[in-house]
Structures are given as structure tokens and as C-alpha cells.
Amino acid sequence: MFFLLQQNSIANTIWMFALIFIIFYFFMIRPQIRKQKIEKKFQDNLKKGNYIVTNSGMHGKIIDITDNVCVLETITGKIKLEKNTVSKELTQLRYSETLNQQNEKQEKK
């Protein structure tokens, strides 16, 4: 009888760890993977002329871009940096309203 109680206890423990892992996966791992995919797609779609912000907070305009390297023009000069250090695009953040208005005007024509 004691042996049956131990098996039930072990089964409950295993189910509890499985439940914790499932919750951890859906609330922590899956959103992080989705975020990484979006960031990778953003970095692959960078173009010349985009205004960007790096992870360290530098603002500038992309003047040259290759597979892994960007040349960023800032107020103080040109900086060469890795593509994966780019954090945000300022073109859409700052000028999103005017860009949306221009797109709407072009669609109406």
C-alpha cells in the first residue's frame, strides 16, 4: 500500500513539473523566439538612407550597408558597426504620421 502512495506522489510531481514547463514555454520562450524573428527580419530589411538607433543609443543615418556591416553617419562623423547592433528605425518612429499621409495620398491617385 505504501508503494502505491509513493507512485501516485511521483506521478503528481512529474505532472506538476510538466505543467510548469508548459507554462514557462508559452509565457517566456515562445514570445522571445517571436521577438527574435521580428528583429532578424528588421535587420535584414535595412536600407541606405534609413535613420536608426543602435543598442547603445547612437542615432544616425545609414550611408553604406553590406551583409554584416553598416556605416552610420552621425553628427560627429562616420561610424562602422555590425548590423546586429541596430535596435530601431527612426524613420517610421519620427515620421510615421507624415509617411502615412503621403501613402494615403498616393493610394487615392
Side-chain angles (χ1 to χ4, degrees), residues 86-97:
V86 176
S87 170
K88 298 177 190 172
E89 182 179 12
L90 282 179
T91 308
Q92 288 190 359
L93 288 175
R94 285 190 178 173
Y95 308 112
S96 62
E97 293 178 13

Side-chain angles (χ1 to χ4, degrees), residues 8 21 30 37 53 56 58 60 64 72 79 103 106-107:
N8 192 17
F21 178 75
R30 196 165 176 219
K37 285 181 182 178
V53 178
S56 60
M58 291 188 297
D64 190 24
L72 189 67
I79 300 171
N103 291 337
Q106 290 177 355
E107 289 176 0

